[in-house]
Amino acid sequence: MTKPPTVYDVAHHAGVSIATVSRVLSRPDDVKPATRDRVLASVGELGYVPSGAARGLAARRTGVIGLFFQGLDAMDDLGDIALEGDEAAAGGARIVRDIPERTDTRTLNLYFDEVLRGCELESWRSGFALLVGVGRGSTATQTVRDMAGRVDGLMVLAGSASEEELARLSRHVPIVVMAGPRRGDDLDHVSVSNAEGMRTLTAHLIDDLGARELEYVAGSLGSPDDAERWSGFRAALADRSLEAPEEPTLRGDFTREGGRRVGRELFRRDGLPRAVVCANDQMALGVIDAARIAGVAVPEELIVTGFDGIDAGRLSAPRLTTVRQPMETLGRVSVQALARRLAEPKLPAMSVRLPVEVVLRESSESSVSVSLP
């Protein structure tokens, strides 16, 4: 393999200094056209590729921003994958019968897909490369620290790193907290109207559909989104003098399998609530799965609602009533907030709260027209 050319090779080939090569690559308008053209010709002839790390050291910028979030999928049931051997080399095909009752604990988390898509689109539009990191268990803190040392700025999903860790990292790199309210810090925050959305949905179930017995299915313990949605649910009940426990009694960990588990628990009880209000769509879809297996009709016997507005809820049977949040916009606005902070570091901390929509579908109202979104 041929050794790749260096900046020294380009400088020698063009007959200029290393500093001139650097100026041509970073600030071409500051260099005389004839000199600039000679350097660029040498770059092309030699096949020189500028080092991002080297440019970062010179300009104190890497051109890379980071997105960090906590992994939710199961890790203890991952099988080994063979890189070598007959099975890996032979390829082939087999027939697998998909059994409806079969569950997969590694359910794709579509919320993160949409947020990531927004971050990718806006990063590309803004001229940044995007580095994505996922924290798992005891390695999460080290992962976010490593990322902070490699990027110009970092977006962190709320709850993925401690407030103390974010405060420490923010002394070295700009931080934007996604999907979480400000809690006395000086960081930029971009979130959605979680409490307002859940309060509006719950009010509709009570006032318009007559549901008086409601069960709430919470997500992961410690999630800021979950806490806000729970507060909105309780506020709607309190507005109507209906009792709610101080803390959620059912948790599905934001996963479809968690929703199935909660559904099985509910269906073993003597009586059903009129409505199950879930903190996200994946858990709601899991409850609907369990209801189908148990022979419980949705919405005739049990109303089920979610929160997020993922495509899977639009395609389910019945289609899922939900609070649709602007997931892609959340990602895009977070990148914009980080770009703003990088351009003007001394600006006051900003807090953006995006609106949501309550979307009515057949999991709550069997008479909903199919033309609804």
Side-chain angles (χ1 to χ4, degrees):
M1 182 179 295
T2 304
K3 183 179 178 181
T6 67
V7 67
Y8 300 98
D9 297 324
V10 174
H12 177 74
H13 189 273
V16 298
S17 68
I18 296 171
T20 299
V21 175
S22 297
R23 280 198 300 274
V24 169
L25 296 176
S26 60
R27 303 189 306 278
D29 292 340
D30 293 347
V31 183
K32 292 180 180 179
T35 303
R36 181 178 65 227
D37 292 345
R38 190 164 74 250
V39 170
L40 292 176
S42 295
V43 167
E45 187 174 338
L46 295 175
Y48 172 68
V49 178
S51 164
R55 289 201 310 272
L57 288 173
R60 297 185 183 276
R61 290 287 177 88
T62 65
V64 180
I65 58 176
L67 169 63
F68 176 78
F69 57 89
Q70 187 75 33
L72 293 178
D73 53 336
M75 294 295 292
D76 54 0
D77 60 347
L78 294 179
D80 293 330
I81 298 177
L83 276 178
E84 301 177 352
D86 294 339
E87 183 178 348
R94 61 175 180 164
I95 295 175
V96 178
R97 188 174 301 280
D98 187 14
I99 302 171
E101 290 78 7
R102 178 183 294 156
T103 62
D104 184 357
T105 58
R106 299 188 303 275
T107 305
L108 183 64
N109 199 306
L110 301 175
Y111 167 82
F112 289 114
D113 288 353
E114 291 295 320
V115 174
L116 176 58
R117 173 177 168 77
C119 290
E120 290 173 334
L121 287 172
E122 196 63 29
S123 295
W124 169 79
R125 182 174 176 271
S126 303
F128 292 112
L130 181 66
L131 176 67
V132 180
V134 181
R136 302 192 186 280
S138 60
T139 65
T141 298
Q142 189 57 49
T143 300
V144 72
R145 288 177 180 175
D146 289 344
M147 287 187 67
R150 302 182 184 192
V151 297
D152 296 334
L154 187 60
M155 298 168 289
V156 179
L157 195 74
S160 299
S162 69
E163 295 176 16
E164 295 77 14
E165 184 64 28
L166 293 182
R168 189 187 72 83
L169 293 176
S170 67
R171 293 196 291 269
H172 307 283
V173 63
I175 301 285
V176 172
V177 179
M178 307 171 67
R182 175 170 287 115
R183 295 182 176 178
D185 59 65
D186 294 323
L187 305 178
D188 295 319
H189 285 251
V190 181
S191 61
V192 303
S193 301
N194 285 299
E196 297 90 335
M198 187 61 81
R199 188 172 189 167
T200 302
L201 171 62
T202 306
H204 167 73
L205 297 178
I206 299 170
D207 297 343
D208 300 331
L209 302 185
R212 309 290 289 183
E213 297 180 357
L214 299 90
E215 286 278 3
Y216 183 86
V217 181
S220 303
L221 190 64
S223 163
D225 278 349
D226 187 67
E228 286 196 306
R229 293 169 195 176
W230 169 246
S231 71
F233 174 78
R234 293 190 78 244
L237 267 61
D239 290 344
R240 291 151 184 84
S241 300
L242 298 176
E243 292 187 7
E246 290 297 321
E247 299 293 336
T249 58
L250 298 171
R251 287 196 178 273
D253 302 321
F254 285 135
T255 66
R256 190 160 184 164
E257 174 56 27
R260 294 182 181 120
R261 173 174 43 78
V262 167
R264 290 192 294 268
E265 179 182 336
L266 283 172
F267 302 143
R268 284 194 293 266
R269 298 179 180 178
D270 291 336
L272 287 175
R274 183 63 190 98
V276 174
V277 180
C278 299
N280 81 337
D281 287 349
Q282 298 236 67
M283 294 189 297
L285 293 172
V287 172
I288 292 176
D289 292 342
R292 181 172 56 250
I293 294 170
V296 175
V298 176
E300 291 80 7
E301 296 178 81
L302 181 70
I303 291 171
V304 181
T305 67
F307 198 114
D308 280 341
I310 63 176
D311 276 347
R314 183 174 56 85
L315 302 173
S316 64
R319 297 185 308 154
L320 182 64
T321 288
T322 188
V323 179
R324 181 165 56 203
Q325 62 164 309
M327 296 170 284
E328 182 180 305
T329 301
L330 175 66
R332 295 192 64 177
V333 172
S334 296
V335 173
Q336 292 173 5
L338 189 55
R340 168 185 175 272
R341 177 62 53 198
L342 288 168
E344 301 185 66
K346 296 187 181 300
L347 285 176
M350 68 183 296
S351 183
V352 178
R353 201 166 186 82
L354 303 174
V356 298
E357 297 177 321
V358 175
V359 182
L360 305 180
R361 299 193 184 114
E362 291 85 1
S363 73
S364 65
E365 303 168 61
S366 56
S367 61
V368 170
S369 168
V370 295
S371 64
L372 280 176

